[in-house]
Amino acid sequence: MTTSSVAAPDAPAKSRGGARVAVQKFGTFLSGMVMPNIAIFIAWGLITAFFIETGWTPVGVLGGFGETDGVANIGLVGPILTYLIPLAIAFQGGRMIYETRGAVVGSIMAMGVIIGANGTIMILGAMICGPLGAWLIKQIDKIWDGKIKPGFEMLVNNYAAGILGFVLALVGFFWLAPLFKLIAEGLGAAVKFLVDSSLLPLASVIIEPAKVFFLNNAINHGVLDQLGAQQVQESGKSILFLLEANPGPGLGILLAFTFFGVGIARSTAPGAILIQFFGGIHEIYFPYVLQKPVLFLAVILGGATGVATNVAFQSGLVAPASPGSIIAVLTATAKDSYVGVILSVVLSAAVSFAVASFFLLASRKRDLANGGGDMSAAMAKLQANKGRDVNAATSGLLGNNSPANEEEAEASLGGVGSASTATATRVESVVFACDAGMGSSAMGASVLRNKVKKAGIEGVTVVNKAIANLDGTEDLIITQEELTDRAKQKNPNAQHVSVGNFMNAPQYDQVVDQLKNQ
C-alpha cells in the first residue's frame, strides 16, 4: 500500500521533468547556434542605429536608402540581416552536428531557403537547414566509410558533399522556402495581433516563469530573435528583443530581499544585484523566486509592466541585448526609445519590488521563526529544474562553508557523476565548458584563474570553451552537472568536475589543492 501511494504521483512527475529537459535541450541547441554569432547581431544593430534613414547619422550608401550615381543604394543593413546572419547561424548549426563538412553542406541548403524566401528573413529556416544538411551528409558518409580506395578519398568526399549540396539547395529553394516563409508570416501576424490588441504584456505570463525554469532559450532564440530582426528591418527597432532581456523584474526581486528579506537571502541579495543587473546573469535571482513560489506573481507582473510601458512608448531595441545587462540594453536601444526603455526597466523593477515586498513582509514573522527562510529548499528546486549540484550552488551563492559542505565538495571531486578519471595525470590545461563558451563559464574561469594565480601555481592554463569546441587536449574540465555527460563524450580521458555556481563553488579550492600537490 505504501509503495503504490508513493509511486503513483512519481510517474507524472517524471514525465513532466522529461518534457522540461527535452525543451531545455532544444533551447540549448538553438542557443548554441545563435550565441557564437551575437557579435554579428550587435554589429548589425550598430550599423542600423547609426546609418539608416532615421538613425543617428544617416548615410544612404551604408543604410540602404537613396541613390548613388542613379543606382539605388543596397547598404549593409539588409544584406547582413538577409544573408550573413542566417548563413552564420546555419554554418554554426552544421558545425555542431558534423564539424566543418557538415557546416558547409548545411550552409548550401540554407542558402537555397534564403534566396527562395525572396527577402523574408530566414533565421528560423537557417536554424533547421544548417543542422539538417549536416546530418544528411554525415549519414551519407557512413555508407562508404572505409570502402573508398586509397587516393580517391578527396574526390569522393568533395563530390558527395557538392552533389548533396546541389540537391538540398534546390529542395530548400522550391519546397522549404515557401513553408518557412508561411511560418514566419504567421508568427509575425500573431505578434502584430498581440501588439494591435494591446495583449503583448500577456507574453510575460509565459516568459518570466520560463526564465526561472530555464525554458526561455527555445522561445528567445527560436522565435523572438527572428521576429525582432524582421521588425528592425521594417521599422528600425523591435520591442521583442526586450521581452526576455529586461533586467527589471529580477532587480525588483533582489531589492525586495535586500530590504525585507531575512537571513542568508537578505545578506546575499545586494551582491547578486551587481551580477544580475550590470553583469546580465539573470540566473542568479532564480533561487530567490524558488524560495517563495508566490514570487512568480511578482516577476510576471513586473515583466508585463515593462512590456506595457514599451508598447505605450513604442520603444524597442535595434539588436538583441545579450547578456541581459542594463549596459547591453542601453547600448542596443533605438535612438527614439531611451525614455520608454529606461522607464520599462524602472517600472518593471518597481512593480516586481512592490509585489515581492508585500509577500515578504506578510511572511516575515514566520520566516524569522523558521530561522531565516528555507533557501536550501530553493536550491533543491533549482537542482530539480536544471540538474545542478545543490551543495555547490548553495555554497557558492550563499557563502555556506560548513564542514558538511566541504566534505561533500571533497567527495564530488572524485565521486561518480560529479568528477572522475585520470586523477594521477598531471593537469596543465583546465577548461570551463558551457553551451556557448560565454557567460557563466567565462565568469568561472576568471574566478579560478585568480585563485590559481594567488596560490602561485605556474604552468597551468585556465580558459573557457563551448562544449562543442572541446578537442581532447584538456586535462581537467569543469561544467555544470547537467552538462558533464556531454563533456565526457567529447573528452572521456580528462578529469571532470561538476559545480553548481560558477562564482564560488567549493570545488575550486579542491582543484587548486590538486594543482599545488601534483
Side-chain angles (χ1 to χ4, degrees), residues 37-51:
N37 295 301
I38 283 294
I40 303 178
F41 279 96
I42 293 173
W44 168 73
L46 291 173
I47 291 170
T48 302
F50 278 96
F51 301 133

Side-chain angles (χ1 to χ4, degrees), residues 380-418:
K381 291 179 182 178
L382 189 64
Q383 180 196 33
N385 291 334
K386 200 172 182 182
R388 291 188 161 200
D389 180 348
V390 178
N391 295 314
T394 305
S395 175
L397 180 60
L398 306 179
N400 185 347
N401 293 316
S402 66
N405 276 339
E406 293 298 328
E407 291 173 8
E408 289 163 357
E410 177 79 36
S412 73
L413 193 61
V416 176
S418 291

Side-chain angles (χ1 to χ4, degrees), residues 224-411:
L224 296 181
D225 281 353
Q226 159 141 346
L227 296 178
Q230 185 75 47
Q231 287 189 348
V232 170
Q233 190 180 43
E234 295 169 356
S235 60
K237 60 187 175 184
S238 175
I239 187 177
L240 301 181
F241 291 138
L242 279 165
L243 296 188
E244 187 270 338
N246 186 351
L251 174 64
I253 293 290
L254 295 173
L255 285 173
F257 274 95
T258 298
F259 291 104
F260 305 113
V262 295
I264 294 174
R266 180 175 184 176
S267 65
T268 55
I273 288 175
L274 294 176
I275 296 172
Q276 188 266 345
F277 192 64
F278 294 103
I281 310 299
H282 290 203
E283 187 180 61
I284 198 145
Y285 78 83
F286 297 171
Y288 296 84
V289 177
L290 292 171
Q291 181 185 359
K292 289 184 177 295
V294 71
L295 296 184
F296 276 110
L297 185 60
V299 292
I300 289 172
L301 292 176
T305 300
V307 176
T309 302
N310 284 313
V311 170
F313 282 83
Q314 297 184 353
S315 51
L317 306 186
V318 297
S322 182
S325 158
I326 186 61
I327 298 172
V329 168
L330 293 178
T331 300
T333 298
K335 175 184 176 181
D336 60 351
S337 298
Y338 280 97
V339 173
V341 169
I342 292 173
L343 274 177
S344 73
V345 175
V346 172
L347 293 179
S348 62
V351 171
S352 180
F353 170 76
V355 176
S357 298
F358 170 80
F359 289 120
L360 290 177
L361 289 171
S363 62
R364 185 177 179 83
K365 186 178 294 186
R366 182 173 67 251
D367 290 341
L368 288 171
N370 290 336
D374 192 3
M375 200 67 169
S376 297
M379 298 310 297
K381 291 179 182 178
L382 189 64
Q383 180 196 33
N385 291 334
K386 200 172 182 182
R388 291 188 161 200
D389 180 348
V390 178
N391 295 314
T394 305
S395 175
L397 180 60
L398 306 179
N400 185 347
N401 293 316
S402 66
N405 276 339
E406 293 298 328
E407 291 173 8
E408 289 163 357
E410 177 79 36

Side-chain angles (χ1 to χ4, degrees), residues 66-249:
E67 296 181 349
T68 299
D69 297 330
V71 179
N73 291 318
I74 297 175
L76 289 173
V77 177
I80 290 176
L81 181 58
T82 304
Y83 303 109
L84 177 59
I85 290 177
L87 282 175
I89 289 173
F91 189 90
Q92 174 66 12
R95 194 171 68 86
M96 291 167 66
I97 298 296
Y98 195 37
E99 299 182 346
T100 303
R101 185 168 171 80
V104 171
V105 175
S107 298
I108 297 172
M109 185 179 186
M111 193 63 180
V113 171
I114 291 168
I115 300 300
N118 194 26
T120 300
I121 309 305
M122 277 292 107
I123 293 177
L124 180 61
M127 285 181 168
I128 295 173
C129 291
L132 178 58
W135 182 83
L136 289 173
I137 188 62
K138 185 175 183 179
Q139 303 312 306
I140 288 177
D141 282 352
K142 289 179 180 179
I143 296 175
W144 46 69
D145 185 29
K147 301 176 183 177
I148 304 173
K149 291 184 178 181
F152 289 87
E153 294 90 351
M154 181 178 293
L155 179 68
V156 172
N157 288 336
N158 284 342
Y159 269 88
I163 293 171
L164 179 64
F166 164 75
V167 173
L168 293 180
L170 296 181
V171 170
F173 186 92
F174 288 108
W175 288 286
L176 295 182
L179 174 62
F180 290 133
K181 186 174 182 178
L182 186 64
I183 293 173
E185 290 174 351
L187 292 172
V191 171
K192 186 176 186 303
F193 169 77
L194 291 176
V195 173
D196 293 343
S197 305
S198 300
L199 296 176
L200 193 59
L202 293 179
S204 297
V205 175
I206 297 174
I207 291 174
E208 294 301 332
K211 289 173 67 175
V212 178
F213 286 111
F214 306 96
L215 302 175
N216 57 308
N217 278 337
I219 298 172
N220 196 29
H221 296 307
V223 179
L224 296 181
D225 281 353
Q226 159 141 346
L227 296 178
Q230 185 75 47
Q231 287 189 348
V232 170
Q233 190 180 43
E234 295 169 356
S235 60
K237 60 187 175 184
S238 175
I239 187 177
L240 301 181
F241 291 138
L242 279 165
L243 296 188
E244 187 270 338
N246 186 351

